[in-house]
Structures are given as structure tokens and as C-alpha cells.
Amino acid sequence: MSAALPERASDLLDGMRRRRPRVHCLMNGVVPKLVADGLSALDAIPSMTSSPEEVGHFVARADALLVNLGTLDAQRREAIGIAVSVAAERGRPWALDPAHCDYSPPRAAFAQQLLTRGPAVLRANAAEYDLLSVPAGVVAVRTGKQDRIAQNGATFSVANGHPLAAMVTGTGCLSGALIAAFLAIETDAFMAASAAMLIFGVACEMAGKTASGPGSFEPALLDALAALSGDHILQHARIAHEQG
């Protein structure tokens, strides 16, 4: 199955550019521009409002939803509740990024509550992931030096990436948005998340070849996402698959 992931990721990348899915991002206040630009670089269509009065309308017109818990406040909590309800009503897939829930017990409790409401994918770093109990059926993406994507005993690990990504605020948030984008065009959430993390990792490696530091890495990453082709994925994928 691991041999098939690069080919499937290549096909999904082509599908992303053809279908141009709409992705609504309930995003923390620090990184919306990077996330919107990153989605646009892959030809997805981002929207970002967190207004409780508007968010339901935007989610109803979107093909997928990302819920990111960064810079969480009362208004964002309300908007998240509305967005998740509308996604459920309309059958829209959604991904959860419990950003910095390891800093805040109330945020961790909210993340755990949201995990009971049917996200397709959880994307979290190791510290966040270890606080949460992931329900059966939710694809669990644990990011780090190697990204690990797991569901029902099956696991992909993706070794692609670049150290400079960790020095640019919002790259993890962007990877969560890419997962949501691929959920919009791939019904198999395990494959959608695996392909998204592989594509993002390869783009990070491409950006790292030209960047001289974090300041130049961010625009290089956007350029890499825009230039990314299926051939890049097939040539540079570094993955492993476990079953059991």
C-alpha cells in the first residue's frame, strides 16, 4: 500500500487543481494569510470568517472545514459550534487542529469534546496528541520529524519535510488546512490525510533548497506549493507503511 501512496497523492494533486474545492478555515488570528495563500497555491479556494453571524453560511457553501483552536475565545467557540453543526447537516468533512491545547486544560477539554462530534481527521503535534483520546474511526495525524498518520491499526509515516518549517509560525496550521482540502476531494480520510502530509512534506523540502532562513522559507514554500507536480512527489516521497 505504501508504494501506492505517491501515485495516489500525485493523482489527488491533479484533482485539486481541476476541482478547486472551497475550504472554510476557522483559523487562529496569527496565521490566516499564510493558510489562505497556501491553499490558493494549490488552487483550493479559502474562506476565513469566524463571525457567528456568517460562519454557517460560509460552511454551507464550502466543500470541507478546518477547525483550528489557536487564539481561542468565546466568539470562536460559538463560531466553531455553529460550523461543526452545519458541516454535519450538510455532510461536509472536517479536520480538527487542537493548536496549543497542551498549554490550556480548558482548550484540551474543548478539543476532546469536539472529537466526539465526528471530525474525519485530527492533526496534532506530539504534546497535543498525547493529551487527547482519539475515537475509533478518526484518522490521527501526529506531526514531528516524521509525520505519522494512523487509523484502525494501519499507519503511514512520512519522512519528507524541512527543519525551517518549524521556525515559521503557521506551517503546521497550513498542513491542517491542506488535510481539509484533500478531504474535499477524497472520501477515504486516511488516504486524504496521508496524501496531504506527503505533498506538504515534499513542498517543504523543495522550499528548503532555496531558502536561506525562516524569512525566505515562507515565500519559498508558497512558490513550491504552486510549482509542485506529481513528478516531484513520485521522485521524492519518503514513506513507510505499517499494518497491524
PDB file of all heavy atoms in Angstrom, residues 125-147:
ATOM      1  N   ASN A 125       0.492  18.039  17.083  1.00  0.00           N
ATOM      2  CA  ASN A 125       1.866  17.684  17.374  1.00  0.00           C
ATOM      3  C   ASN A 125       1.892  16.707  18.547  1.00  0.00           C
ATOM      4  O   ASN A 125       0.859  16.380  19.134  1.00  0.00           O
ATOM      5  CB  ASN A 125       2.721  18.930  17.619  1.00  0.00           C
ATOM      6  CG  ASN A 125       2.307  19.716  18.852  1.00  0.00           C
ATOM      7  OD1 ASN A 125       1.813  19.160  19.838  1.00  0.00           O
ATOM      8  ND2 ASN A 125       2.522  21.022  18.820  1.00  0.00           N
ATOM      9  N   ALA A 126       3.083  16.231  18.905  1.00  0.00           N
ATOM     10  CA  ALA A 126       3.180  15.161  19.904  1.00  0.00           C
ATOM     11  C   ALA A 126       2.593  15.579  21.247  1.00  0.00           C
ATOM     12  O   ALA A 126       1.861  14.808  21.888  1.00  0.00           O
ATOM     13  CB  ALA A 126       4.631  14.722  20.057  1.00  0.00           C
ATOM     14  N   ALA A 127       2.894  16.797  21.702  1.00  0.00           N
ATOM     15  CA  ALA A 127       2.413  17.241  23.011  1.00  0.00           C
ATOM     16  C   ALA A 127       0.897  17.350  23.038  1.00  0.00           C
ATOM     17  O   ALA A 127       0.249  16.985  24.028  1.00  0.00           O
ATOM     18  CB  ALA A 127       3.052  18.579  23.376  1.00  0.00           C
ATOM     19  N   GLU A 128       0.319  17.865  21.959  1.00  0.00           N
ATOM     20  CA  GLU A 128      -1.135  17.983  21.873  1.00  0.00           C
ATOM     21  C   GLU A 128      -1.779  16.594  21.777  1.00  0.00           C
ATOM     22  O   GLU A 128      -2.760  16.289  22.461  1.00  0.00           O
ATOM     23  CB  GLU A 128      -1.513  18.816  20.647  1.00  0.00           C
ATOM     24  CG  GLU A 128      -1.021  20.252  20.716  1.00  0.00           C
ATOM     25  CD  GLU A 128      -0.893  20.904  19.349  1.00  0.00           C
ATOM     26  OE1 GLU A 128      -1.085  20.221  18.313  1.00  0.00           O
ATOM     27  OE2 GLU A 128      -0.567  22.116  19.306  1.00  0.00           O
ATOM     28  N   TYR A 129      -1.207  15.778  20.917  1.00  0.00           N
ATOM     29  CA  TYR A 129      -1.752  14.447  20.646  1.00  0.00           C
ATOM     30  C   TYR A 129      -1.822  13.605  21.913  1.00  0.00           C
ATOM     31  O   TYR A 129      -2.809  12.904  22.154  1.00  0.00           O
ATOM     32  CB  TYR A 129      -0.882  13.773  19.593  1.00  0.00           C
ATOM     33  CG  TYR A 129      -1.364  12.438  19.102  1.00  0.00           C
ATOM     34  CD1 TYR A 129      -2.134  12.338  17.949  1.00  0.00           C
ATOM     35  CD2 TYR A 129      -1.045  11.267  19.782  1.00  0.00           C
ATOM     36  CE1 TYR A 129      -2.570  11.111  17.488  1.00  0.00           C
ATOM     37  CE2 TYR A 129      -1.484  10.039  19.331  1.00  0.00           C
ATOM     38  CZ  TYR A 129      -2.241   9.962  18.186  1.00  0.00           C
ATOM     39  OH  TYR A 129      -2.675   8.743  17.740  1.00  0.00           O
ATOM     40  N   ASP A 130      -0.784  13.677  22.723  1.00  0.00           N
ATOM     41  CA  ASP A 130      -0.702  12.817  23.901  1.00  0.00           C
ATOM     42  C   ASP A 130      -1.745  13.160  24.960  1.00  0.00           C
ATOM     43  O   ASP A 130      -2.010  12.348  25.852  1.00  0.00           O
ATOM     44  CB  ASP A 130       0.696  12.890  24.508  1.00  0.00           C
ATOM     45  CG  ASP A 130       1.739  12.184  23.655  1.00  0.00           C
ATOM     46  OD1 ASP A 130       1.348  11.418  22.750  1.00  0.00           O
ATOM     47  OD2 ASP A 130       2.941  12.419  23.877  1.00  0.00           O
ATOM     48  N   LEU A 131      -2.352  14.344  24.879  1.00  0.00           N
ATOM     49  CA  LEU A 131      -3.389  14.727  25.835  1.00  0.00           C
ATOM     50  C   LEU A 131      -4.772  14.207  25.462  1.00  0.00           C
ATOM     51  O   LEU A 131      -5.676  14.214  26.306  1.00  0.00           O
ATOM     52  CB  LEU A 131      -3.473  16.254  25.926  1.00  0.00           C
ATOM     53  CG  LEU A 131      -2.365  16.974  26.695  1.00  0.00           C
ATOM     54  CD1 LEU A 131      -2.581  18.471  26.587  1.00  0.00           C
ATOM     55  CD2 LEU A 131      -2.360  16.545  28.155  1.00  0.00           C
ATOM     56  N   LEU A 132      -4.928  13.771  24.224  1.00  0.00           N
ATOM     57  CA  LEU A 132      -6.263  13.509  23.703  1.00  0.00           C
ATOM     58  C   LEU A 132      -6.497  12.024  23.489  1.00  0.00           C
ATOM     59  O   LEU A 132      -5.563  11.263  23.200  1.00  0.00           O
ATOM     60  CB  LEU A 132      -6.454  14.256  22.377  1.00  0.00           C
ATOM     61  CG  LEU A 132      -6.299  15.778  22.466  1.00  0.00           C
ATOM     62  CD1 LEU A 132      -6.329  16.401  21.080  1.00  0.00           C
ATOM     63  CD2 LEU A 132      -7.376  16.387  23.355  1.00  0.00           C
ATOM     64  N   SER A 133      -7.746  11.634  23.621  1.00  0.00           N
ATOM     65  CA  SER A 133      -8.171  10.276  23.299  1.00  0.00           C
ATOM     66  C   SER A 133      -8.893  10.320  21.954  1.00  0.00           C
ATOM     67  O   SER A 133      -9.945  10.956  21.833  1.00  0.00           O
ATOM     68  CB  SER A 133      -9.112   9.750  24.389  1.00  0.00           C
ATOM     69  OG  SER A 133      -9.599   8.482  24.059  1.00  0.00           O
ATOM     70  N   VAL A 134      -8.310   9.664  20.963  1.00  0.00           N
ATOM     71  CA  VAL A 134      -8.844   9.748  19.605  1.00  0.00           C
ATOM     72  C   VAL A 134      -9.866   8.631  19.407  1.00  0.00           C
ATOM     73  O   VAL A 134      -9.534   7.451  19.526  1.00  0.00           O
ATOM     74  CB  VAL A 134      -7.724   9.631  18.559  1.00  0.00           C
ATOM     75  CG1 VAL A 134      -8.291   9.806  17.154  1.00  0.00           C
ATOM     76  CG2 VAL A 134      -6.637  10.668  18.835  1.00  0.00           C
ATOM     77  N   PRO A 135     -11.110   8.984  19.101  1.00  0.00           N
ATOM     78  CA  PRO A 135     -12.122   7.941  18.896  1.00  0.00           C
ATOM     79  C   PRO A 135     -11.797   7.036  17.714  1.00  0.00           C
ATOM     80  O   PRO A 135     -11.141   7.453  16.756  1.00  0.00           O
ATOM     81  CB  PRO A 135     -13.403   8.746  18.625  1.00  0.00           C
ATOM     82  CG  PRO A 135     -13.138  10.110  19.179  1.00  0.00           C
ATOM     83  CD  PRO A 135     -11.675  10.341  18.988  1.00  0.00           C
ATOM     84  N   ALA A 136     -12.268   5.809  17.790  1.00  0.00           N
ATOM     85  CA  ALA A 136     -12.121   4.899  16.662  1.00  0.00           C
ATOM     86  C   ALA A 136     -12.793   5.516  15.431  1.00  0.00           C
ATOM     87  O   ALA A 136     -13.864   6.116  15.518  1.00  0.00           O
ATOM     88  CB  ALA A 136     -12.757   3.549  16.986  1.00  0.00           C
ATOM     89  N   GLY A 137     -12.146   5.379  14.312  1.00  0.00           N
ATOM     90  CA  GLY A 137     -12.689   5.926  13.075  1.00  0.00           C
ATOM     91  C   GLY A 137     -12.147   7.278  12.704  1.00  0.00           C
ATOM     92  O   GLY A 137     -12.250   7.685  11.541  1.00  0.00           O
ATOM     93  N   VAL A 138     -11.581   8.026  13.657  1.00  0.00           N
ATOM     94  CA  VAL A 138     -10.963   9.317  13.348  1.00  0.00           C
ATOM     95  C   VAL A 138      -9.516   9.068  12.942  1.00  0.00           C
ATOM     96  O   VAL A 138      -8.764   8.403  13.659  1.00  0.00           O
ATOM     97  CB  VAL A 138     -11.025  10.269  14.558  1.00  0.00           C
ATOM     98  CG1 VAL A 138     -10.288  11.571  14.249  1.00  0.00           C
ATOM     99  CG2 VAL A 138     -12.465  10.551  14.940  1.00  0.00           C
ATOM    100  N   VAL A 139      -9.121   9.581  11.800  1.00  0.00           N
ATOM    101  CA  VAL A 139      -7.733   9.469  11.366  1.00  0.00           C
ATOM    102  C   VAL A 139      -6.884  10.373  12.250  1.00  0.00           C
ATOM    103  O   VAL A 139      -7.201  11.553  12.435  1.00  0.00           O
ATOM    104  CB  VAL A 139      -7.582   9.871   9.888  1.00  0.00           C
ATOM    105  CG1 VAL A 139      -6.114   9.829   9.475  1.00  0.00           C
ATOM    106  CG2 VAL A 139      -8.411   8.953   9.000  1.00  0.00           C
ATOM    107  N   ALA A 140      -5.817   9.819  12.803  1.00  0.00           N
ATOM    108  CA  ALA A 140      -4.965  10.555  13.735  1.00  0.00           C
ATOM    109  C   ALA A 140      -3.641  10.893  13.069  1.00  0.00           C
ATOM    110  O   ALA A 140      -2.872   9.991  12.716  1.00  0.00           O
ATOM    111  CB  ALA A 140      -4.718   9.717  14.991  1.00  0.00           C
ATOM    112  N   VAL A 141      -3.384  12.177  12.884  1.00  0.00           N
ATOM    113  CA  VAL A 141      -2.126  12.650  12.304  1.00  0.00           C
ATOM    114  C   VAL A 141      -1.297  13.259  13.425  1.00  0.00           C
ATOM    115  O   VAL A 141      -1.688  14.257  14.030  1.00  0.00           O
ATOM    116  CB  VAL A 141      -2.371  13.695  11.195  1.00  0.00           C
ATOM    117  CG1 VAL A 141      -1.041  14.221  10.654  1.00  0.00           C
ATOM    118  CG2 VAL A 141      -3.209  13.097  10.073  1.00  0.00           C
ATOM    119  N   ARG A 142      -0.146  12.647  13.679  1.00  0.00           N
ATOM    120  CA  ARG A 142       0.778  13.136  14.693  1.00  0.00           C
ATOM    121  C   ARG A 142       2.014  13.654  13.972  1.00  0.00           C
ATOM    122  O   ARG A 142       2.734  12.891  13.323  1.00  0.00           O
ATOM    123  CB  ARG A 142       1.140  12.011  15.660  1.00  0.00           C
ATOM    124  CG  ARG A 142       2.129  12.417  16.742  1.00  0.00           C
ATOM    125  CD  ARG A 142       2.285  11.296  17.752  1.00  0.00           C
ATOM    126  NE  ARG A 142       3.286  11.613  18.756  1.00  0.00           N
ATOM    127  CZ  ARG A 142       3.370  11.013  19.941  1.00  0.00           C
ATOM    128  NH1 ARG A 142       2.503  10.064  20.262  1.00  0.00           N
ATOM    129  NH2 ARG A 142       4.303  11.344  20.804  1.00  0.00           N
ATOM    130  N   THR A 143       2.250  14.958  14.085  1.00  0.00           N
ATOM    131  CA  THR A 143       3.333  15.570  13.332  1.00  0.00           C
ATOM    132  C   THR A 143       4.616  15.613  14.154  1.00  0.00           C
ATOM    133  O   THR A 143       4.595  15.607  15.383  1.00  0.00           O
ATOM    134  CB  THR A 143       2.956  16.984  12.887  1.00  0.00           C
ATOM    135  OG1 THR A 143       2.684  17.795  14.035  1.00  0.00           O
ATOM    136  CG2 THR A 143       1.729  16.967  11.985  1.00  0.00           C
ATOM    137  N   GLY A 144       5.743  15.674  13.461  1.00  0.00           N
ATOM    138  CA  GLY A 144       7.051  15.714  14.102  1.00  0.00           C
ATOM    139  C   GLY A 144       8.129  15.568  13.055  1.00  0.00           C
ATOM    140  O   GLY A 144       7.916  15.908  11.880  1.00  0.00           O
ATOM    141  N   LYS A 145       9.306  15.093  13.454  1.00  0.00           N
ATOM    142  CA  LYS A 145      10.379  14.867  12.476  1.00  0.00           C
ATOM    143  C   LYS A 145       9.906  13.905  11.391  1.00  0.00           C
ATOM    144  O   LYS A 145      10.281  14.039  10.219  1.00  0.00           O
ATOM    145  CB  LYS A 145      11.630  14.336  13.171  1.00  0.00           C
ATOM    146  CG  LYS A 145      12.333  15.389  14.033  1.00  0.00           C
ATOM    147  CD  LYS A 145      13.628  14.847  14.604  1.00  0.00           C
ATOM    148  CE  LYS A 145      14.334  15.933  15.419  1.00  0.00           C
ATOM    149  NZ  LYS A 145      15.613  15.442  15.999  1.00  0.00           N
ATOM    150  N   GLN A 146       9.128  12.929  11.794  1.00  0.00           N
ATOM    151  CA  GLN A 146       8.368  12.121  10.849  1.00  0.00           C
ATOM    152  C   GLN A 146       6.899  12.271  11.199  1.00  0.00           C
ATOM    153  O   GLN A 146       6.521  12.207  12.369  1.00  0.00           O
ATOM    154  CB  GLN A 146       8.779  10.645  10.919  1.00  0.00           C
ATOM    155  CG  GLN A 146      10.136  10.354  10.328  1.00  0.00           C
ATOM    156  CD  GLN A 146      10.318   8.875  10.040  1.00  0.00           C
ATOM    157  OE1 GLN A 146       9.465   8.045  10.340  1.00  0.00           O
ATOM    158  NE2 GLN A 146      11.445   8.532   9.442  1.00  0.00           N
ATOM    159  N   ASP A 147       6.086  12.521  10.198  1.00  0.00           N
ATOM    160  CA  ASP A 147       4.651  12.624  10.411  1.00  0.00           C
ATOM    161  C   ASP A 147       4.050  11.220  10.361  1.00  0.00           C
ATOM    162  O   ASP A 147       4.387  10.415   9.482  1.00  0.00           O
ATOM    163  CB  ASP A 147       4.013  13.509   9.344  1.00  0.00           C
ATOM    164  CG  ASP A 147       4.551  14.925   9.383  1.00  0.00           C
ATOM    165  OD1 ASP A 147       4.761  15.448  10.491  1.00  0.00           O
ATOM    166  OD2 ASP A 147       4.768  15.511   8.301  1.00  0.00           O
TER     167      ASP A 147
END
